Structures are given as C-alpha cells and as structure tokens.
Amino acid sequence: MPPDNSHRTSFSELDVLGSVPVPSTSVDVCMHDGFGLNSGITIQGDGALLVHGEAFAWRPWEASGKKRLVNDKGQFELPEEAFGLFDVLWPRPDLLIIGVGKHNLPLSPRTREHVSRLGMRVEMLDTRNAAAQFNLLATERGVSEVAAALIPIGWEEGLGVVS
C-alpha cells in the first residue's frame, strides 16, 4: 500500500512572494568595487543609489570633495549634497537603507537629521546585508516605498574604492 501523502505541506504553496516579480534593481551580487543588478547592469567603481526602480552610480565621497565618509567620531556622515536626488524626487520612498561598506557603522546625527527632514526613515547596515534587506523589502513593498544607497564593500577611508 502506498504511503498517504495527503497531510504533507507543499512549501512552494506557502511562499507568499512566489508570484511577485523581483525588481530589476535588486542586487544579485555585491562586488569589491561595485554591484551586479538583476537587470544585468553592473555598477563598477562607484556606489549604487537604487530608487523608484532606477539604478544610479553614486559617488557620495565626491560631494564633500574628500574621500571621507566617516567623521572623527567614527560615524558614517555625508554632506547633504550626497542626497541631492531626493531633493527633486516626489514622492519620496518611506525608507532609505544605507549600506556603509564592509562593516556597519553608526549614522551621524547630522546625516540622520537630514534624511529625516527629507521625510524618510533610515536603516544602517553593512553593504551585503543592506542589499539583501533592500531586495526583500523592494519585492514585498515595492520599489517606490524603499530606496537603497550602497557603498562598495571594497571602500577604504581616504582611498576610495580599492580595486
């Protein structure tokens, strides 16, 4: 007599996001000097700004004129100009996920205040985890609700993106 399989659960039926298409800006790979996106686009030598289903090369270190992203207190700090795209973007995403490189860092109060004035909540993570979080939330909530600002994992303070 064959076993009774009527009580078994099909895990594929439990995947609530299984039929939802993955955003083209989802990050497939975090490289030392850039990112590979689901769309086939590769951003190399730059950071990535992923917003409203679009991907932009992002060089926040150029906004300040020096290759520093960390202040004297060890906090991730960017000038307001680094978030210039959000000044002209409407509607803005509800959440900005910032990937700060190989290791997580706290966000400076000045940068947190600026992002808050733009009407966005902010989440800080190392870049690999930030990319994974963005992929999940952009799929779940949509690319208009979640944005990501990612620094390559090979970023080194004072040197920039190390090849």
Side-chain angles (χ1 to χ4, degrees):
M1 181 168 161
D4 179 16
N5 292 330
S6 62
H7 66 279
R8 290 196 177 170
T9 301
S10 169
F11 289 107
S12 63
E13 292 175 11
L14 297 176
D15 184 3
V16 294
L17 297 175
S19 63
V20 177
V22 176
S24 63
T25 53
S26 66
V27 181
D28 281 349
V29 62
C30 294
M31 299 176 292
H32 187 75
D33 64 343
F35 304 91
L37 305 181
N38 184 47
S39 62
I41 292 173
T42 300
I43 297 174
Q44 229 169 344
D46 296 319
L49 189 58
L50 310 173
V51 60
H52 280 273
E54 300 290 333
F56 301 92
W58 187 51
R59 295 181 182 166
W61 49 87
E62 288 185 355
S64 66
K66 43 191 166 167
K67 293 191 176 185
R68 285 199 72 191
L69 301 176
V70 180
N71 67 17
D72 293 335
K73 295 180 180 180
Q75 302 165 329
F76 189 79
E77 184 170 280
L78 296 177
E80 292 183 6
E81 296 81 15
F83 299 105
L85 176 65
F86 295 107
D87 289 333
V88 296
L89 183 69
W90 192 261
R92 291 187 189 111
D94 176 56
L95 175 64
L96 175 63
I97 300 170
I98 301 178
V100 296
K102 194 171 191 173
H103 305 287
N104 199 1
L105 295 168
L107 185 61
S108 76
R110 192 178 108 191
T111 301
R112 183 175 298 279
E113 181 182 316
H114 177 68
V115 173
S116 181
R117 277 195 320 266
L118 289 169
M120 297 183 290
R121 293 178 298 120
V122 66
E123 185 172 336
M124 301 291 294
L125 295 161
D126 64 274
T127 295
R128 284 189 175 107
N129 284 314
Q133 183 78 334
F134 171 77
N135 289 349
L136 174 69
L137 293 176
T139 300
E140 185 178 271
R141 295 173 55 191
V143 293
S144 64
E145 295 294 319
V146 182
L150 306 172
I151 301 297
I153 57 176
W155 171 265
E156 288 190 27
E157 190 68 15
L159 299 174
V161 180
V162 180
S163 312

